[in-house]
Amino acid sequence: MKNNNILAVDAMGGDFGPSVVVPGALQAAKQCGAKILFVGLEDKIQEVLDTLPDDLKAVDYSIVHASQVVEMNEKPSDILRQKKDSSIQVACRLVKDGEAHAVISAGHSGACVACGMFIIGRISGVERPCLATIMPSKTTPRLLLDVGANVECKPYHLFQFALMGAAFAKDILEYEEPRVGILSIGEEEGKGTSTVKEAYDLLKVAQHLNFVGNVEGRDIFIGDVDVVVCDGFVGNIALKLSEGLAFSLTHVLKKELTGNGLLPKIGAFLAKKAFLKFKKKIDYAEYGGAPLLGLKGISFVCHGSSNKRAIESAVLMANTYIEKDTHNKLLNSLKENEELTSFARSV
């Protein structure tokens, strides 16, 4: 299965660099037929390629050398100014210049956002691109945005996040009419900060948006909502809290199921299948990356500790994003509500 999609993959990103990025991306390309451009230190990438089985090395790929590597403790502004030949900058320029259709990186998230904004560029009228992440729930996955790109937001930023999130959920998660809610401290209209209340007023009159009103934190996992909108400060806390809780629950369950004595061992054996299903359901690697919505091009930002499976999932999702032409559908949603956004910005 071969397609014409070209994906620029930051091979140096993440805690494990090429050792997981290269095989993960190739495994995805083997499934979807896209071409991979590995961006980074050529010798390091080649070292990993030399260790891989022939079926992965047969996938269509090439290496684009980038001489600099971004460190996690560096400031995004310094990276933009001082590391012009870093793997994330080179990968973003490939998208800007039309040599790749999307960029995928597990590197410095701040650098990914900054390079996306200042190299790939923002969609006209979008002041703040946002990071969206897929969250597990008791039924179907939920989309939470923003999860860290924008610490402080204005009402029309949240409004645009909702429009872009709904377009993504409709196409990628295949929800016919995604239910959109704004995260607040109560379900009643009028609850929340002044920003939340003003965003609520915009959302309830938006064109072609299934807005269900305010939702609370628990609704991310058990409520009747598909897309949850908030600023990046709140969203990042919600995301990290959820990750910590999932890790803690997994650890506690494992400890209880593998305790001393015969009965816990029998219980562990009988519950093994259910435990594995639970672990898979809460594993971020199932979805891989968070799309950076609002850019002129396509960008996916992966978790810093991404494993091979997470990289594979992110590359597959980026390919699906291209195949379904989600970017243009997102643009259309923004255009339909352009007058409302302009009005909100002027107030």
Side-chain angles (χ1 to χ4, degrees):
M1 179 175 59
K2 173 73 175 172
N3 63 44
N4 295 318
N5 300 334
I6 303 172
L7 308 176
V9 177
D10 175 8
M12 311 311 295
D15 296 343
F16 308 108
S19 66
V20 303
V21 174
V22 172
L26 290 180
Q27 187 62 49
K30 182 182 175 183
Q31 296 175 58
C32 69
K35 179 176 181 178
I36 303 295
L37 301 180
F38 287 117
V39 184
L41 300 173
E42 186 171 6
D43 57 340
K44 298 294 183 184
I45 297 169
Q46 191 60 55
E47 280 179 17
V48 176
L49 286 166
D50 290 341
T51 68
L52 298 180
D54 291 339
D55 64 322
L56 288 186
K57 287 191 280 191
V59 171
D60 190 5
Y61 71 86
S62 61
I63 300 173
V64 178
H65 180 65
S67 63
Q68 294 175 304
V69 177
V70 169
E71 302 297 337
M72 294 303 292
N73 60 348
E74 294 182 276
K75 294 181 180 178
S77 56
D78 292 340
I79 294 164
L80 276 170
R81 290 195 305 268
Q82 300 169 12
K83 291 202 166 179
K84 303 288 186 182
D85 201 42
S86 61
S87 53
I88 184 57
Q89 282 220 42
V90 173
C92 285
R93 282 199 293 273
L94 290 171
V95 173
K96 179 188 177 182
D97 296 340
E99 296 178 48
H101 298 102
V103 56
I104 299 100
S105 176
H108 192 306
S109 58
C112 291
V113 173
C115 291
M117 287 180 63
F118 295 104
I119 296 176
I120 298 174
R122 294 167 291 169
I123 294 170
S124 178
V126 174
E127 188 176 302
R128 302 282 185 88
C130 65
L131 279 169
T133 192
I134 298 172
M135 306 282 283
S137 79
K138 69 172 186 177
T139 52
T140 54
R142 311 288 165 83
L143 192 70
L144 176 67
L145 70 168
D146 179 27
V147 292
N150 306 283
V151 173
E152 296 181 358
C153 294
K154 295 179 179 177
Y156 66 87
H157 296 146
L158 299 181
F159 174 66
Q160 289 189 325
F161 297 169
L163 297 176
M164 294 189 291
F168 182 90
K170 192 169 186 177
D171 248 27
I172 304 301
L173 299 181
E174 299 183 340
Y175 299 154
E176 189 173 343
E177 292 293 335
R179 299 160 297 179
V180 179
I182 186 165
L183 193 59
S184 189
I185 58 171
E187 294 180 353
E188 301 85 0
E189 183 175 354
K191 287 288 186 74
T193 64
S194 58
T195 299
V196 167
K197 288 186 279 189
E198 289 178 43
Y200 186 108
D201 291 338
L202 293 171
L203 290 166
K204 69 181 180 181
V205 295
Q207 295 292 314
H208 310 296
L209 187 74
N210 184 14
F211 180 55
V212 298
N214 286 338
V215 296
E216 297 179 281
R218 60 174 175 262
D219 294 319
I220 298 172
F221 306 102
I222 62 173
D224 296 325
V225 66
D226 302 307
V227 178
V228 179
V229 180
C230 58
D231 64 58
F233 183 83
V234 171
N236 192 265
I237 290 173
L239 175 63
K240 298 295 174 60
L241 176 63
S242 302
E243 288 177 348
L245 179 60
F247 178 83
S248 177
L249 285 175
T250 303
H251 180 76
V252 170
L253 278 171
K254 187 175 181 180
K255 186 176 180 180
E256 292 297 322
L257 289 170
T258 56
N260 294 326
L262 180 61
L263 287 178
K265 288 181 170 58
I266 294 172
F269 176 77
L270 295 174
K272 184 177 180 181
K273 189 174 181 180
F275 181 74
L276 290 174
K277 282 184 178 180
F278 167 77
K279 189 175 180 182
K280 182 178 181 180
K281 194 166 188 178
I282 64 172
D283 188 2
Y284 69 85
E286 287 300 305
Y287 301 103
L292 183 57
L293 304 177
L295 299 180
K296 291 179 180 177
I298 300 167
S299 174
F300 277 79
V301 182
C302 304
H303 202 292
S305 60
S306 290
N307 54 25
K308 294 175 188 177
R309 174 62 181 152
I311 299 297
E312 177 186 345
S313 297
V315 172
L316 287 172
M317 190 180 289
N319 183 74
T320 300
Y321 197 100
I322 299 165
E323 293 286 287
K324 292 196 170 187
D325 197 27
T326 304
H327 189 68
N328 282 326
K329 293 170 185 174
L330 184 151
L331 283 171
N332 290 337
S333 180
L334 290 169
K335 286 178 182 176
E336 288 171 350
N337 291 276
E338 192 171 7
E339 287 186 16
L340 193 54
T341 305
S342 297
F343 167 76
R345 190 183 285 115
S346 66
V347 173

